[in-house]
């Protein structure tokens, strides 16, 4: 048997020359074996100094989209509406497309899958989830079966960077955020990082490849790190935990999927405990292989460019996602019918009604901050108005997804009643 490689030469039209775009340019300069070249770069601000020949740049998108010699569009801008126009027009012009735009992909994945099918061109976006970690292609190819039981991931580098700096190095939240911005990890609007929007966009993309689930990010419960307090860090430390922002998807016994992004207590035994700064980590639970851990830089110019480079390399062999779990016609569905073991932390006793909990396990009050640990139905959490209050935080316990919960009449329940007297 002989193995022959038929490779396509790539002429790239690049949109955006920010941290990632410039890194990609530099990397391609040093990777002649890829036989790819950037023909033109479309930018928004022509007056900015760029570290590349001026003849490369234009502000006219049509020069890229209408050039028949350009067969790949790489979209690395951060305006997701403009990115939507670029990507859909490029696919309609039968050009292959690579994008790192999480928001665009998460919010329009159904349309983008349709365009790939209609025009028969690939759309790759490994850089959109966890930058340097090849998680999408792994879910797409290796986990093209029913083995996947769950995903737990630190998928936002900026919030992980901030939590590391604040909790381990005692920096202030605003200084840590500024550093994340200066390093080029944060979104132009850092609220997208801080409030968990970026992480839930990534979760939404992972769900499509892991389980064939198309879930608009707005339909997935998520909070960020903005509500966490210094007292929460002390509470976590006393219990031997750290707090991380974790994106979670878990297949329940009936085949439906629990999915959310929430702060989580992480114990030293958990692989995610060691994930610090801008690093990302993804633990994949498989029914045969137990746990697998993927670790790598999740933000920044070169780590993101490395994923784009890998997509470019795959395009030379005409690789495209097949969305097989979706195509199989029997995708899993998202459910809210499960319980969570959580710690709710708040300032004012009246903020969180105790009857939101199925069961209260532990209660403490220190320095004007209350921490209540209990079991709560996920639907109750989704529908509660109190969870959005600025000084209420929700932190999930390790293995906090509780299935088949039935209230047991145990000693613990007597404890509940005692606590309730104080708590009500
Ligand atoms: N702002 C994102 C993050 C960039 O911090 O993870 C990479 O997607």
């Amino acid at each position: 048997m002989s193995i022959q490689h038929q490779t396509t030469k790539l002429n790239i039209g690049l949109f955006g020359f920010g941290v990632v775009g410039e890194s990609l340019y530099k990397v391609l300069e040093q990777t002649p074996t890829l036989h790819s070249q950037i023909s033109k770069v479309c930018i928004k601000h022509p007056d900015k100094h760029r570290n590349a020949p001026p003849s490369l740049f234009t502000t006219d998108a049509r020069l890229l989209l209408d050039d028949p010699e350009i067969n790949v569009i790489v979209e690395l801008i951060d305006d997701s509406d403009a990115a939507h126009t670029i990507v859909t027009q490029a696919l309609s012009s039968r050009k292959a497309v690579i994008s790192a735009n999480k928001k665009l992909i998460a919010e329009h994945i159904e349309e983008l899958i349709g365009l790939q099918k209609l025009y028969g061109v690939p759309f790759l976006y490994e850089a959109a989830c966890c930058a340097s970690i090849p998680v999408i292609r792994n879910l797409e190819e290796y986990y093209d079966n029913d083995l996947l039981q769950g995903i737990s991931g630190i998928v936002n580098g900026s919030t992980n960077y901030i939590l590391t700096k604040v909790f381990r190095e005692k920096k202030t939240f605003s200084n840590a955020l500024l550093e994340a911005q200066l390093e080029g990890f944060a979104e132009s609007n850092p609220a997208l990082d801080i409030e968990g929007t970026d992480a839930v966009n990534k979760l939404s993309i992972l769900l499509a490849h892991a389980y064939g689930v198309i879930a608009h990010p707005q339909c997935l419960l998520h909070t960020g790190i903005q509500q966490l307090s210094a007292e929460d860090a002390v509470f976590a430390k006393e219990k031997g935990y750290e707090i991380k922002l974790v994106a979670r998807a878990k297949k329940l016994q009936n085949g439906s999927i629990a999915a959310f992004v929430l702060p989580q207590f992480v114990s030293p035994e958990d692989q995610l405990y060691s994930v610090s700064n801008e690093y990302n980590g993804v633990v994949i639970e498989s029914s045969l292989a137990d746990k697998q851990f993927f670790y790598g830089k999740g933000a920044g110019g070169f780590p993101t460019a490395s994923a784009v480079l890998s997509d470019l390399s795959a395009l030379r062999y005409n690789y495209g996602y097949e969305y097989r779990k979706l195509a199989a016609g029997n995708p899993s569905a998202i459910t809210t019918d499960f319980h969570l073991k959580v710690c709710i932390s708040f300032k004012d006793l009246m903020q969180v009604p105790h009857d939101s909990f199925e069961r209260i396990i532990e209660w403490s009050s220190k320095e004007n901050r209350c921490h209540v640990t209990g079991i709560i139905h996920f639907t109750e959490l989704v529908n509660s108005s109190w969870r959005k209050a600025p000084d209420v935080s929700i932190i999930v316990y390790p293995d906090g997804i509780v299935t088949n919960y039935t209230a047991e009449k145990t000693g613990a329940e007597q404890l509940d009643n005692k606590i309730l007297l104080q708590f009500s």
Side-chain angles (χ1 to χ4, degrees):
M1 189 177 86
S2 72
I3 298 172
Q4 289 182 340
H5 291 308
Q6 196 90 42
T7 61
T8 308
K9 186 173 183 327
L10 306 178
N11 276 326
I12 301 165
L14 173 63
F15 282 83
F17 205 74
V19 179
V20 182
E22 187 175 340
S23 300
L24 180 68
Y25 172 76
K26 285 184 190 155
V27 170
L28 282 176
E29 292 266 279
Q30 293 156 20
T31 320
T33 49
L34 198 61
H35 302 299
S36 306
Q37 62 166 46
I38 296 180
S39 301
K40 224 30 174 190
V41 183
C42 185
I43 46 162
K44 205 165 149 193
H45 303 291
D47 300 332
K48 244 187 191 172
H49 172 75
R50 317 273 172 179
N51 296 316
S55 59
L56 204 56
F57 297 96
T58 177
T59 52
D60 183 358
R62 299 270 32 127
L63 282 185
L64 284 67
L65 293 168
D66 294 341
D67 182 345
E69 296 297 313
I70 289 180
N71 54 1
V72 185
I73 294 295
V74 177
E75 177 283 303
L76 299 174
I77 64 173
D78 69 354
D79 174 343
S80 67
D81 292 333
H84 179 257
T85 307
I86 294 162
V87 168
T88 51
Q89 289 189 2
L91 291 172
S92 314
S93 309
R94 293 195 152 82
K95 294 186 194 299
V97 180
I98 293 171
S99 170
N101 201 309
K102 301 82 49 133
K103 189 170 185 295
L104 158 77
I105 300 159
E107 290 180 355
H108 299 279
I109 195 160
E110 206 159 14
E111 178 196 6
L112 296 168
I113 293 172
L115 289 175
Q116 289 172 74
K117 272 194 206 143
L118 185 63
Y119 295 106
V121 277
F123 174 47
L124 302 182
Y125 41 83
E126 190 63 73
C129 281
C130 306
S132 70
I133 306 177
V135 64
I136 296 179
R137 234 181 292 164
N138 191 274
L139 293 172
E140 179 78 11
E141 303 299 326
Y142 188 87
Y143 280 103
D144 173 32
N145 47 49
D146 291 327
L147 299 180
L148 192 71
Q149 295 304 310
I151 303 172
S152 297
I154 293 174
V155 297
N156 181 270
S158 301
T159 44
N160 203 50
Y161 184 91
I162 294 167
L163 289 176
T164 307
K165 297 291 168 194
V166 169
F167 291 158
R168 289 195 191 163
E169 297 175 27
K170 309 285 171 233
K171 294 201 169 159
T172 63
F173 187 96
S174 50
N175 281 347
L177 169 60
L178 191 64
E179 276 181 33
Q181 288 177 295
L182 291 174
E183 295 279 359
F185 307 145
E187 301 297 301
S188 328
N189 172 8
L192 293 173
D193 296 298
I194 305 301
E195 293 170 9
T197 314
D198 181 72
V200 81
N201 285 336
K202 290 166 179 166
L203 176 63
S204 160
I205 298 170
L206 292 176
L207 284 168
H209 291 275
Y211 297 113
V213 170
I214 302 293
H216 194 285
Q218 276 170 8
C219 302
L220 298 169
L221 176 72
H222 61 281
T223 68
I225 62 168
Q226 75 278 21
Q227 285 145 296
L228 292 175
S229 67
E231 293 85 358
D232 295 341
V234 173
F235 181 86
K237 205 169 174 197
E238 281 170 5
K239 293 193 173 291
Y241 296 135
E242 280 205 1
I243 302 173
K244 306 275 190 190
L245 185 65
V246 178
R248 193 83 178 89
K250 187 178 170 73
K251 195 193 249 183
L252 306 185
Q253 266 169 1
N254 63 6
S256 57
I257 310 293
F260 53 84
V261 174
L262 289 170
Q264 185 184 303
F265 292 125
V266 178
S267 67
E269 296 76 45
D270 191 319
Q271 289 88 346
L272 296 183
Y273 191 88
S274 60
V275 179
S276 53
N277 294 317
E278 79 274 25
Y279 279 81
N280 282 188
V282 181
V283 176
I284 290 181
E285 293 157 46
S286 149
S287 31
L288 294 183
D290 197 6
K291 287 183 178 170
Q292 292 170 328
F293 178 44
F294 297 81
Y295 173 76
K297 285 197 173 171
F302 286 115
T304 311
S306 113
V308 175
L309 195 76
S310 174
D311 281 349
L312 282 168
S313 184
L315 280 183
R316 290 189 307 142
Y317 303 97
N318 301 315
Y319 175 80
Y321 302 138
E322 290 180 68
Y323 303 95
R324 283 181 224 146
K325 286 157 210 157
L326 193 62
N330 190 20
S332 307
I334 295 289
T335 182
T336 57
D337 190 13
F338 60 95
H339 290 83
L340 276 185
K341 182 178 176 188
V342 289
C343 169
I344 310 285
S345 144
F346 48 92
K347 265 194 171 155
D348 180 351
L349 275 181
M350 302 312 289
Q351 273 176 316
V352 182
H354 67 72
D355 55 6
S356 289
F357 289 89
E358 298 284 327
R359 177 174 172 185
I360 292 168
I361 298 166
E362 190 186 309
W363 178 87
S364 67
S365 172
K366 253 189 221 168
E367 295 173 25
N368 296 327
R369 195 87 191 174
C370 301
H371 288 96
V372 178
T373 292
I375 305 290
I376 195 164
H377 196 278
F378 191 70
T379 313
E380 172 70 28
L381 197 56
V382 170
N383 295 335
S384 66
S385 51
W386 50 259
R387 77 176 162 83
K388 293 189 180 148
D391 49 8
V392 172
S393 53
I394 304 160
I395 311 162
V396 181
Y397 273 80
D399 298 321
I401 296 178
V402 182
T403 50
N404 299 326
Y405 172 76
T406 45
E408 293 157 18
K409 299 247 178 254
T410 61
E413 185 148 315
Q414 290 162 18
L415 175 68
D416 289 359
N417 292 334
K418 206 169 113 204
I419 292 165
L420 280 178
L421 282 175
Q422 302 167 36
F423 182 40
S424 49

